[in-house]
Amino acid sequence: MSRKIDANIYSVVVFIIGGSVLLVYSLLNNFSLTHYESSDWLYFLLLAIIPTIFGQYIFNLLLKTIGETTVSVGIIGEPVLAIMLAYLLLGETISAFQFVGGLITLSGMLMYFALKSYHIQLPKFLRLNRFRKLG
């Protein structure tokens, strides 16, 4: 996202486009849009507001304040958090692959944030800045 575009405008445009694409897809595939229980509509509303609108809005604001790389590294931990919450709240099991993958993910995040907090510079050959802006 460009720093020149307001986060609110960007979010509204993205949600309109995404909603329109999903509506067309649903209509083309004859999915029912109305035959749901009232409790389902409450869940739909909560899913739209909390993780979608609120989450995207916070994500866009964070991009402006703490930077793209830091936000991206932070978001990498989202599946690990989801697995831990599913284990704690829903009684789901954690497979060996999920456990090892989670450890690798958290280790990478820890390394990034440790390097960033101590202002340690990577050697030039490891930096990806040369790919940022071409031209």
Side-chain angles (χ1 to χ4, degrees):
M1 180 179 84
S2 173
R3 292 183 191 267
K4 297 177 184 174
I5 299 173
D6 181 63
N8 295 327
I9 294 171
Y10 178 79
S11 294
V12 168
V13 169
V14 167
F15 293 138
I16 290 172
I17 292 170
S20 300
V21 168
L22 288 173
L23 177 63
V24 169
Y25 178 82
S26 296
L27 293 173
L28 290 175
N29 288 290
N30 296 319
F31 292 138
S32 173
L33 299 176
T34 57
H35 296 96
Y36 294 101
E37 301 290 326
S38 58
S39 63
D40 291 336
W41 284 107
L42 175 64
Y43 292 132
F44 293 155
L45 181 64
L46 290 174
L47 283 170
I49 292 172
I50 298 170
T52 306
I53 294 173
F54 185 68
Q56 182 70 33
Y57 181 73
I58 295 297
F59 176 79
N60 290 334
L61 289 178
L62 288 174
L63 284 176
K64 286 184 172 181
T65 57
I66 63 174
E68 298 86 359
T69 305
T70 303
V71 171
S72 297
V73 171
I75 287 179
I76 289 171
E78 185 179 2
V80 179
L81 178 63
I83 289 169
M84 290 189 297
L85 288 174
Y87 173 78
L88 294 171
L89 301 176
L90 303 174
E92 295 287 327
T93 58
I94 299 175
S95 72
F97 285 115
Q98 290 171 325
F99 185 77
V100 172
L103 285 178
I104 292 169
T105 300
L106 293 176
S107 298
M109 292 174 65
L110 179 66
M111 287 189 315
Y112 171 79
F113 289 120
L115 289 172
K116 187 171 177 66
S117 68
Y118 290 113
H119 304 291
I120 297 172
Q121 290 290 324
L122 292 174
K124 273 193 174 185
F125 69 92
L126 290 176
R127 294 184 204 159
L128 297 177
N129 289 340
R130 63 179 173 264
F131 300 112
R132 286 220 178 221
K133 291 186 180 179
L134 301 174

